[in-house]
Amino acid sequence: MLVETVPERMVAFGAVWEKLSGRWATVFDTYDDDQLALIIDHMRRTVEVGAAQVELLRSGELEAP
């Protein structure tokens, strides 16, 4: 899938994203620095695992059962 921006919709998207991102900030404000570090570590590691799985799927090395 290829996702491309539509320049004439960027202003509208920005308004929507501003509302969405503000709610995320309120969630993260409830955690202390150690908790945030754990969350960030988890997110990084899951992205790495996901990327490795995508590469494996693209490689064709997996066979369907």
Side-chain angles (χ1 to χ4, degrees), residues 15-43:
V16 170
W17 182 250
E18 187 175 330
K19 290 177 185 177
L20 294 173
S21 66
R23 290 188 177 170
W24 280 110
T26 62
V27 169
F28 293 122
D29 285 344
T30 64
Y31 297 106
D32 65 32
D33 288 348
D34 289 338
Q35 292 169 319
L36 288 171
L38 179 63
I39 292 168
I40 290 168
D41 178 62
H42 177 269
M43 293 173 77

Side-chain angles (χ1 to χ4, degrees), residues 35-56:
Q35 292 169 319
L36 288 171
L38 179 63
I39 292 168
I40 290 168
D41 178 62
H42 177 269
M43 293 173 77
R44 283 185 181 143
R45 293 171 67 186
T46 57
V47 167
E48 289 171 2
V49 168
Q53 290 176 333
V54 167
E55 288 301 315
L56 183 58

